[in-house]
Amino acid sequence: MPNSLAIPPHTRAFGWLRRNPPSCLSGALVWLAVIFIGLWLLRLIPAMDSSSLGWLQILIGVVLFALGLPLLVRIIRKRMLWSLRNKLIITYLLVGLAPVVLFVTLATIFAYIAAGQFAIHLASNRMQTELDQMSTDNSTLTIRIAHGLNTPAENGPSGQIGPRGPFQGLRTPFTVTERAAAAAISTTSLRPRLEEFINGVPQVMPGPPRPAEPLGLPAWAMNPKDDMFRSVVLDGEKLYLVAIHRERLLDGRRLTMVSHLPVDGALLEIMAKGLGRAQIFAHKAEGDGLASERNTSQYSSVSGGVEPPARNLADIRVRFLSTITITDWETGKPDSVPIEVDSRPGLLYLQLFGESLSGIVTSAIRIGLIGLCILFALIEILALTMAIRLSRTMTASIHDLYEATLSIDRGDLNHRIAVSRTDQLAQLSRSFNRMSVSLQRLLSEQHEKERLQNELTIAQEVQANLFPTAVRDLATLELHGVCRPARSVSGDYYDFLVFYKDDPESLSGRIETGVGIALGDISGKGISAALLMATLHSAVRLIYSASLDAGMIVSHEGVSQYMGRLFESPGRVMATLNQHLYSNTQPEKYATLFLGHYDAATSWLTYSNAGQLPPLLLGQDGSVRRLDKGGTVVGLMDGVRYEEGRFQMRSGDILVAYSDGVTEPENDFGDFGEERLVEVVRRYRDQPLHVISAQVMHALDAWIGAEEQPDDITLVLARKI
């Protein structure tokens, strides 16, 4: 562990901050929030420097946001998004509500723009209607005046103009009453003014004086296109509705009539009637004419109408700014001025549909729309209810699975999930219940297996005690044996049976006279083979004990002599064992067995082989002898007789007895084989027997490799000294 004192303080501080982020950040955020609110309160004091406090407040706000956002994300992830139900709710909101909000927002923006444009259209259209009416009246009057000027007077020369103006002394269709009617254009509620020009020279029009100031006739207006002109004009900082009409007289002169009406509150009252409030800013738009990009408060404006009250919560204020096209009176160039209309959706709806809002058809449509809205609301409520039920179903299943998992983790394998549905989550819960049952069964089987394994371990220990652990070598013979089971217990068998006689002169009171060597292989593997091996071991030991006891009895009776010499005849012992196994085991059970008796006094080895792989005698001179005298396996047939072989061992001879587990293991190169066994023993024949045995086992392990050991391995070595 590193020394904590060797770590720099700032590193320890950052480490503590990383390990305790919620508490540390929470305290910092609280203090920053207090400072932020305190600065905001200080800015309300007139004597304080608001600008410096404002910058400091912005800086603290940025830090507060930078620290608060990660903490908020962490809290949301750990508190809100840990639960599946909360995740589903947020998913529903993102998938279902977010598009609806975006669509409603977009539709609201479009509706607001459309309503504002419609209000601007209505106001400008009314202004254009007034302008068209002025142009029509102006054209009619101009034509009649031109007709009068082209008609000679009754008492004067044709076309003569008197000192009082062009209308004096003319024969004209205008009577006094008609002239008063012609001048009535200037006496309407809007009171437009008429100005007359012949060849650009202003003339005097009979009738009462006009209230508005004259506009005059600029040079560009003396020759209007198609002899007509109507538009909203800007003269200085004032707006006018202007209509111009020009007629050519018979004498070549040009009569021009100019009708103009100031754009004032009265006109805007008419424009805003039924809409709300209208306002026009009397200035020329510069650049691209977008009035929304300029500060309109610095220009003079005219307005009319009043802002209408809202009829309901949905009847919001619609305030829209646009432009109308005008003409500069001085230059005749087109331009635009800003116009702003304040209205309500209810008023615009009335203006759009008008009289069509009343009647049976409209009422039916209204009722149908209301019913459709109610239907949609019911569908939305139904969808929300179904979503909540589905969410609860899913989250309840996940919650049940989570609780069941905790119960299984605590060791409660009897916990089961109550399932009443038929969906996939219910099937998952049923699968979990089946898994719990299987797990419970497996654990029971595991406990049983552990119990059996413990019993096998005990059986392995018992079987290990059956093999000779320490055999004192004879004066003329070295002995060694090893058995390595392929499983827990082995079906192979080997044993060393030492014979002795009383000798008062020895320290122990007896000396060894010979040794019996046994090696066998039981058919099959595992427990059954191990039990049969124990039976064979007991039978051989019983015969050995009987032989030993009979040899110790001083008697001249035939029975005692027979029992004393029984083990010295391996053929007779083999026949006895065959009869015993045949009578006491199942028909398919048998064993291969090699029995040998070594006489210490004469070095003669007498043996009998009952189906066992022939042991090998490796002579000192390099010769190899196979010990194959005997007969068939024991325990398979009744009344079998076994032959015996006999030879005398010389100094350095090594007896190698083995089971099929030594020579039969395979790999890609074939069997291990007898030749490799002989080669290993020859290579280490001068070493102690346990070293030779270990080298054989190493060679076998290398030959088998990573594969499982296929059979029990048993090896018995005996060397003549």
Side-chain angles (χ1 to χ4, degrees):
M1 173 181 280
N3 187 3
S4 60
L5 297 178
I7 303 176
H10 65 278
T11 305
R12 294 198 301 270
F14 281 115
W16 181 86
L17 179 63
R18 186 172 58 253
R19 293 189 300 271
N20 305 275
S23 59
C24 179
L25 286 179
S26 299
L29 288 174
V30 170
W31 281 107
L32 287 174
V34 171
I35 296 173
F36 185 84
I37 296 174
L39 291 174
W40 178 73
L41 294 176
L42 289 176
R43 291 183 61 188
L44 299 178
I45 302 175
M48 300 301 294
D49 186 4
S50 300
S51 60
S52 59
L53 291 177
W55 283 108
L56 184 59
Q57 189 178 12
I58 292 175
L59 178 61
I60 294 178
V62 171
V63 175
L64 186 64
F65 177 79
L67 294 179
L69 185 60
L71 181 61
L72 181 62
V73 171
R74 186 183 182 91
I75 292 175
I76 290 176
R77 292 181 60 183
K78 295 190 65 175
R79 302 292 179 85
M80 296 182 62
L81 296 182
W82 185 88
S83 171
L84 177 63
R85 180 171 299 178
N86 294 338
K87 286 187 176 180
L88 288 175
I89 291 174
I90 294 177
T91 302
Y92 293 153
L93 292 177
L94 293 177
V95 174
L97 185 60
V100 172
V101 171
L102 293 177
F103 176 77
V104 171
T105 303
L106 187 63
T108 302
I109 294 174
F110 284 168
Y112 186 90
I113 294 175
Q117 289 283 19
F118 181 61
I120 295 293
H121 169 73
L122 288 178
S124 60
N125 188 60
R126 291 178 180 180
M127 181 182 292
Q128 188 63 37
T129 300
E130 187 68 28
L131 186 60
D132 292 343
Q133 183 63 41
M134 286 177 55
S135 178
T136 301
D137 293 342
N138 186 49
S139 297
T140 302
L141 181 59
T142 303
I143 293 172
R144 296 184 68 179
I145 291 177
H147 179 73
L149 292 176
N150 289 328
T151 302
E154 296 180 357
N155 300 318
S158 176
Q160 181 179 0
I161 300 178
R164 292 189 299 174
F167 303 105
Q168 290 288 338
L170 295 180
R171 184 177 177 275
T172 173
F174 286 159
T175 62
V176 175
T177 304
E178 289 173 339
R179 290 183 179 180
I185 297 176
S186 62
T187 61
T188 60
S189 58
L190 295 179
R191 301 181 64 80
R193 170 156 183 173
L194 294 174
E195 297 185 35
E196 307 83 20
F197 300 88
I198 294 181
N199 291 337
V201 179
Q203 305 295 317
V204 179
M205 184 73 178
R210 310 300 192 266
E213 298 180 357
L215 282 178
L217 187 65
W220 66 268
M222 295 179 65
N223 296 299
K225 185 179 180 181
D226 297 331
D227 294 332
M228 294 186 63
F229 171 82
R230 62 176 181 271
S231 177
V232 181
V233 301
L234 179 63
D235 185 18
E237 293 185 356
K238 293 184 179 181
L239 291 172
Y240 295 90
L241 301 182
V242 175
I244 301 176
H245 190 83
R246 190 183 69 168
E247 287 289 334
R248 185 183 296 272
L249 301 179
L250 295 177
D251 56 5
R253 294 176 298 171
R254 292 178 176 84
L255 172 65
T256 303
M257 296 291 295
V258 179
S259 175
H260 58 87
L261 180 68
V263 179
D264 53 8
L267 179 61
L268 291 182
E269 285 287 345
I270 296 175
M271 291 173 53
K273 185 178 181 181
L275 289 179
R277 181 175 177 272
Q279 185 176 11
I280 297 179
F281 300 92
H283 77 284
K284 292 187 293 183
E286 299 176 357
D288 57 1
L290 297 178
S292 59
E293 298 181 359
R294 296 184 296 272
N295 185 8
T296 58
S297 61
Q298 59 182 332
Y299 301 101
S300 61
S301 63
V302 290
S303 61
V306 294
E307 182 180 346
R311 297 183 178 182
N312 48 55
L313 293 177
D315 198 20
I316 62 174
R317 179 184 180 185
V318 178
R319 185 176 184 180
F320 203 79
L321 184 67
S322 184
T323 59
I324 58 174
T325 303
I326 64 166
T327 302
D328 191 347
W329 188 244
E330 296 179 359
T331 63
K333 295 181 180 180
D335 207 332
S336 61
V337 294
I339 179 173
E340 184 181 70
V341 178
D342 288 347
S343 185
R344 299 280 180 177
L347 295 177
L348 298 176
Y349 185 75
L350 291 174
Q351 293 295 328
L352 179 63
F353 293 99
E355 294 296 331
S356 63
L357 292 176
S358 60
I360 299 177
V361 177
T362 305
S363 299
I365 293 175
R366 185 185 302 112
I367 294 173
L369 289 175
I370 294 174
L372 188 62
C373 291
I374 294 175
L375 177 62
F376 284 177
L378 293 177
I379 293 175
E380 183 67 23
I381 293 174
L382 178 62
L384 181 62
T385 304
M386 292 179 63
I388 293 175
R389 289 178 60 87
L390 289 175
S391 174
R392 288 181 177 177
T393 300
M394 289 186 288
T395 54
S397 299
I398 299 299
H399 178 73
D400 292 340
L401 288 171
Y402 178 71
E403 293 295 332
T405 304
L406 293 180
S407 299
I408 296 297
D409 185 61
R410 290 192 297 267
D412 184 11
L413 299 179
N414 294 319
H415 182 86
R416 299 293 183 269
I417 301 175
V419 183
S420 59
R421 300 180 305 276
T422 57
D423 54 6
Q424 188 178 20
L425 288 174
Q427 188 64 29
L428 181 61
S429 299
R430 293 189 181 94
S431 300
F432 187 89
N433 290 337
R434 289 194 295 269
M435 183 197 68
S436 300
V437 174
S438 300
L439 183 61
Q440 191 175 19
R441 184 178 66 253
L442 289 175
L443 287 178
S444 300
E445 293 177 357
Q446 180 68 22
H447 293 158
E448 181 66 18
K449 184 178 180 180
E450 290 177 356
R451 185 183 65 81
L452 293 176
Q453 186 63 37
N454 292 333
E455 294 181 358
L456 285 176
T457 302
I458 297 174
Q460 186 178 13
E461 294 176 356
V462 172
Q463 188 183 49
N465 293 329
L466 297 180
F467 297 115
T469 56
V471 177
R472 186 176 63 182
D473 296 334
L474 301 177
T476 60
L477 189 68
E478 296 179 5
L479 294 171
H480 176 77
V482 62
C483 179
R484 192 169 74 180
R487 298 180 181 176
S488 298
V489 290
S490 173
D492 284 0
Y493 158 69
Y494 81 92
D495 200 0
F496 301 136
L497 306 169
V498 181
F499 294 90
Y500 54 87
K501 68 178 181 179
D502 295 335
D503 185 5
E505 297 180 0
S506 65
L507 295 177
S508 61
R510 59 183 182 178
I511 60 174
E512 291 79 5
T513 60
V515 62
I517 301 174
L519 187 143
D521 188 358
I522 310 301
S523 62
K525 299 178 183 179
I527 299 297
S528 61
L531 292 176
L532 186 57
M533 175 264 186
T535 302
L536 182 62
H537 176 274
S538 300
V540 173
R541 283 280 177 169
L542 179 62
I543 295 174
Y544 163 72
S545 298
S547 300
L548 191 62
D549 292 341
M552 295 175 62
I553 297 173
V554 180
S555 175
H556 298 285
E557 297 180 0
V559 175
S560 298
Q561 292 178 1
Y562 172 76
M563 294 300 296
R565 295 182 178 272
L566 177 61
F567 213 92
E568 296 179 4
S569 176
R572 287 184 294 174
V573 175
M574 199 76 74
T576 303
L577 292 174
N578 178 71
Q579 185 65 33
H580 172 71
L581 293 178
Y582 180 80
S583 302
N584 296 282
T585 59
Q586 298 176 352
E588 67 275 9
K589 295 297 182 180
Y590 63 90
T592 61
L593 183 63
F594 171 83
L595 288 178
H597 180 268
Y598 174 78
D599 190 345
T602 62
S603 299
W604 282 89
L605 179 67
T606 306
Y607 72 91
S608 181
N609 190 347
Q612 181 66 29
L613 293 176
L616 304 175
L617 182 67
L618 276 64
Q620 183 67 30
D621 56 358
S623 62
V624 178
R625 181 175 182 174
R626 300 170 62 87
L627 309 183
D628 52 3
K629 294 288 186 177
T632 186
V633 297
V634 295
L636 187 62
M637 294 181 293
D638 188 17
V640 179
R641 294 183 178 276
Y642 295 89
E643 298 180 358
E644 294 181 354
R646 190 167 182 267
F647 61 92
Q648 188 176 24
M649 296 184 67
R650 295 180 176 83
S651 178
D653 291 349
I654 298 178
L655 175 66
V656 181
Y658 56 91
S659 65
D660 55 1
V662 175
T663 57
E664 292 182 357
E666 296 180 351
N667 60 15
D668 295 338
F669 301 97
D671 296 342
F672 184 78
E674 184 180 291
E675 294 181 0
R676 290 184 177 84
L677 173 63
V678 173
E679 180 182 356
V680 173
V681 175
R682 281 177 174 172
R683 186 182 305 165
Y684 298 97
R685 66 176 304 153
D686 295 332
Q687 300 293 328
L689 294 183
H690 70 274
V691 174
I692 299 175
S693 174
Q695 292 299 326
V696 172
M697 292 299 174
H698 289 327
L700 279 172
D701 291 338
W703 190 260
I704 296 173
E707 300 294 332
E708 182 182 2
Q709 179 179 322
D711 201 356
D712 301 328
I713 296 175
T714 304
L715 180 65
V716 172
L717 300 174
R719 181 165 54 189
K720 177 70 171 66
I721 301 175

